[in-house]
Amino acid sequence: MKTVGTYLVELLAAYGVDTVFGIPGVHTVEMYRGLPGSGIRHVTPRHEQGAGFMADGYARATGRPGVCFVISGPGLTNIATAMAQAYGDSVPMLVITSVNPPGRMGSGEGHLHELPDQRQLARQFTAFSHTVLRAEELPQVIARAFAVFASARPRPVHIELPVDLLMLDASVLPSPQKRPPPSRPAPEAQAITAAAALCSQAVRPVILAGGGAADAASPLLRLAETLDAPVIMTVNGRGVLPPGHPLGVSCSPAMAATANLIEAADLVIAAGTEFGPTDYDFYETGGARITGKLIRIDIDPEQAMRGRPADIALVADCALALDALTARIPPRMANDGAARARAAREAVREMLNPVLRAGVDLMEIVREALPDVIIVGDSAQPVYAGCIDFAANRPRSWFCSATGYGTLGYALPAAAGALIGTGRPTVCLAGDGGIQFTLPELAAAREAGLPLVVLLWNNNGYGEIKAYMEARGIAPIGVDIYTPDFLAIARGFGCKAERLRSPGELPALLRSAIRRTCPTVIEIDEEAYVTATADVGRHKRLI
C-alpha cells in the first residue's frame, strides 16, 4: 500500500525537490517511508531551527524553495524563528509538519505535542498555513505553495498533516505530477510608457536594487548603462552589478554618502526593494530622502504602496519590468554616473572605523581567494562591515541575518544549506557569541561531508552589545560571556581547526579548506586582526 506520506514525497519529487532538511520523529516517520529511491536527499540538522536556517540558505543560494520536515508542537515552535527570518527577507521555504488527529487537535486534553492551534501560530510568518484534512487536498495545496514560490513574493508556506492521515492508503489519488505555476506578472503597457518618459527626462537618475532584483541582473545592468545611472545595492541585492563596475555602489543606502546620492537624484528607480529601515535607516537618522520622481518595481502590490508614494508603481516581475522599460528608452551618452558612483563608494569607505575596515578587508580576501564563493553572515562586526561596503561576485553570493529579522545563530546552518544546494565554495562568517546559538550544526555539516569554511571572529563576548551599553552609560551586564575553546570543540566534531596567525596566510588556508571532505573552522582574534590590517594600511599609505 502506498501511504499518503509516501505520496507526499513523490509529489515533492515531481516539483523538483532534491533535498529535505529534517529530524525524524514518531509523528513524521510516515513522511520518511517514501524517501529511499525518491532521489531526494535528507539532511539531518541537530535542531529544527537549524533545519529552517539550512533551508533558508539553500533557497537564497539557489533561488529554489528549501523544504523541511518537522514534528508537530516543538518541531514547529523550534523552526518558527527560522521561518520568521525567511519571511522578513522574502525567502521561499516549505515547512511540512505533522499535527494531532482531529479530536485531539487543540482539544486541551494534553496530548503529546498539542498546541491550541498550530496553524494560527504559523500564519504569523508564512504566505499561508494549511491543514490537510483529506488526502485529495494534497496535490492542490502543494501546487498553491509552488505558485507562491514561482509567481508571487516568495515567503514560507506551512502545511500540516494529521498523523493518522499520513498512514492512509493513497492508491486512489492521481499520479503525482507538477502543475505548471502561473506566469509571473508582466508590467502594464501604459505604465511602462509613463515610466520611460520619466527616464528620458531624468538628468541624475539612481537605481536602487534589492533582493527582488537578484534574478534580474542582466536587464538591470542594461538599464543602468542605458541611463548612466549609479546602482545602489542593498545586502540582498549585492552582486547585481559585479565588483569593479563603474556604476556599481555595493554600499548600504543608510550611509550618509549613499543617502546624499539618493537625495540628489531627480529620478529614483527602486527595483525589488521594500525600503526596509534595516537597509535604508539602520542608524535611525530618518533614512534617505527621495526628492525626485520615484518609479517603483515590485511583485507585491501591497508592498508597492508602503512608504514614500511612488509616482509610477509597476507591479510586476522585476526582470520583465526592467526589460520592458529599457526597450523604451534611447541610450544616452555617459555623463557623470560613474563619477557619482565612485564618489559615494569612496566616501563610504572613508567613514569606516578600524574594526569595520578590517572586516571589509577580510571579506575581500575571501572573495579574491575563492572567486566563486558564497559568503553567509551572522551578526558580527565583519558582517556589519560587509553590509556597509562589500561587492559580491554575483547575485545570491552574499547574504546574512543582520538585516531584516536579525537572528543570531543563522550563518552556520544557512551556509551549510547554501553549500548543499550549489556545491560552490561556501564560507560562514560568524562571531563567537552568535555561533554558540547553533554550534552543534557543525556535526550536521561533518556528517554531510561538507567542505564548509567557518571564519570565527572572536572578540570574547557580545562585543557589539557591550559597546552599545557603554555608549549609553549602562553598566555592561551579560555580555562578557565565557569563551570556550572553539578549536577543541571543532576537532571534537571531526572538523579541521586552525587559528589564523596573520591575514597573509588566509588565502592558502581557504584554498586548502575547500578541498577537504569536512568543515574547517578558522578562528580569528579580532584585536590581532584589526591591528595587523591597520599596520598594512599604514604601510600602503606610506608607499
Side-chain angles (χ1 to χ4, degrees):
M1 182 184 76
K2 180 190 292 185
T3 66
V4 171
T6 296
Y7 182 83
L8 168 66
V9 170
E10 292 179 354
L11 199 52
L12 294 175
Y15 277 85
V17 173
D18 58 19
T19 305
V20 165
F21 304 94
I23 302 175
V26 296
H27 289 66
T28 56
V29 290
E30 282 299 330
M31 298 182 192
Y32 285 76
R33 186 185 296 277
L35 280 176
S38 68
I40 297 177
R41 178 184 186 181
H42 184 270
V43 177
T44 307
R46 296 307 184 258
H47 190 281
E48 286 92 353
Q49 187 178 96
F53 288 148
M54 286 181 186
D56 178 297
Y58 174 100
R60 294 194 203 220
T62 65
R64 304 190 302 271
V67 180
C68 299
F69 286 174
V70 298
I71 61 169
S72 50
L76 179 61
T77 53
N78 282 344
I79 202 173
T81 296
M83 294 172 72
Q85 180 75 46
Y87 184 89
D89 282 345
S90 301
V91 175
M93 180 189 298
L94 177 58
V95 176
I96 301 176
T97 73
S98 56
V99 68
N100 283 320
R104 293 186 177 184
M105 191 189 303
S107 70
E109 295 175 353
H111 294 283
L112 184 64
H113 299 172
E114 183 183 340
L115 284 171
D117 191 338
Q118 279 194 173
R119 189 172 67 179
Q120 184 63 27
L121 170 67
R123 286 177 62 188
Q124 308 304 307
F125 36 77
T126 55
F128 72 86
S129 177
H130 184 94
T131 305
V132 178
L133 296 177
R134 297 178 301 109
E136 293 79 8
E137 295 177 66
L138 202 49
Q140 183 181 88
V141 73
I142 293 292
R144 287 172 52 208
F146 280 85
V148 169
F149 304 146
S151 309
R153 182 178 186 177
R155 275 180 156 160
V157 168
H158 169 242
I159 299 172
E160 61 180 15
L161 295 92
V163 176
D164 57 345
L165 180 66
L166 288 166
M167 296 184 285
L168 295 183
D169 185 0
S171 59
V172 298
L173 297 178
S175 176
Q177 56 184 330
K178 178 182 179 179
R179 297 186 187 181
S183 58
R184 296 177 73 81
E188 196 268 331
Q190 187 175 352
I192 286 291
T193 299
L198 286 184
C199 291
S200 298
Q201 297 162 11
V203 177
R204 298 180 309 282
V206 165
I207 298 173
L208 308 177
D215 296 324
S218 294
L220 192 140
L221 175 59
R222 288 194 296 270
L223 178 63
E225 292 178 342
T226 296
L227 292 176
D228 190 38
V231 178
I232 301 173
M233 292 160 269
T234 69
V235 173
N236 289 329
R238 299 288 171 85
V240 172
L241 263 63
H245 193 285
L247 293 173
V249 183
S250 296
C251 303
S252 166
M255 304 300 287
T258 44
N260 291 340
L261 181 60
I262 295 169
E263 187 171 354
D266 58 354
L267 173 66
V268 173
I269 302 172
T273 177
E274 68 175 1
F275 285 113
T278 54
D279 276 312
Y280 290 86
D281 192 21
F282 190 79
Y283 302 101
E284 298 185 353
T285 59
R289 293 179 62 245
I290 298 176
T291 58
K293 300 291 186 180
L294 173 61
I295 297 172
R296 192 160 184 184
I297 303 169
D298 204 294
I299 201 168
D300 182 350
E302 287 188 70
Q303 194 61 48
M305 294 296 104
R306 293 189 174 106
R308 196 276 208 186
D311 294 278
I312 298 173
L314 302 175
V315 178
D317 171 76
C318 205
L320 294 176
L322 292 168
D323 266 334
L325 189 55
T326 306
R328 300 291 299 275
I329 304 170
R332 65 178 67 186
M333 294 291 292
N335 185 13
D336 65 346
R340 288 187 291 141
R342 182 176 63 253
R345 292 193 304 266
E346 291 176 351
V348 169
R349 187 63 63 101
E350 283 299 314
M351 295 173 68
L352 299 179
N353 64 37
V355 175
L356 294 175
R357 282 177 183 264
V360 173
D361 171 84
L362 176 68
M363 293 188 65
E364 290 181 344
I365 288 175
V366 173
R367 185 190 64 205
E368 299 309 313
L370 307 174
D372 196 33
V373 71
I374 297 172
I375 304 177
V376 184
D378 216 290
S379 289
Q381 289 297 329
V383 175
Y384 299 136
C387 291
I388 293 170
D389 179 18
F390 176 70
N393 49 26
R394 58 185 169 107
R396 302 187 179 279
S397 297
W398 156 233
F399 48 88
C400 67
S401 62
T403 59
Y405 199 60
T407 308
L408 275 169
Y410 170 85
L412 176 55
L419 177 52
I420 288 167
T422 65
R424 292 167 55 191
T426 305
V427 172
C428 158
L429 183 53
D432 60 292
I435 202 168
Q436 292 185 65
F437 280 59
T438 51
L439 190 57
E441 300 305 346
L442 271 178
R446 175 65 182 87
E447 186 173 82
L450 302 180
L452 180 65
V453 184
V454 179
L455 296 183
L456 178 56
W457 186 265
N458 196 339
N459 58 15
N460 296 298
Y462 297 128
E464 179 214 358
I465 305 303
K466 182 177 182 178
Y468 190 89
M469 295 173 78
E470 289 175 338
R472 281 150 186 79
I474 301 171
I477 297 174
V479 290
D480 293 315
I481 60 175
Y482 176 77
T483 302
D485 186 339
F486 289 107
L487 301 188
I489 292 171
R491 294 182 185 115
F493 280 125
C495 303
K496 181 73 173 176
E498 311 265 8
R499 180 171 284 109
L500 186 70
R501 293 186 296 272
S502 71
E505 70 177 9
L506 183 56
L509 291 176
L510 292 169
R511 287 190 282 265
S512 295
I514 64 169
R515 292 194 292 267
R516 299 191 175 107
T517 56
C518 68
T520 300
V521 175
I522 302 173
E523 187 174 7
I524 302 170
D525 180 84
E526 178 183 90
E527 184 177 359
Y529 193 91
V530 171
T531 300
T533 52
D535 289 341
V536 170
R538 282 193 293 271
H539 177 68
K540 287 180 179 178
R541 286 193 290 275
L542 288 172
I543 293 174

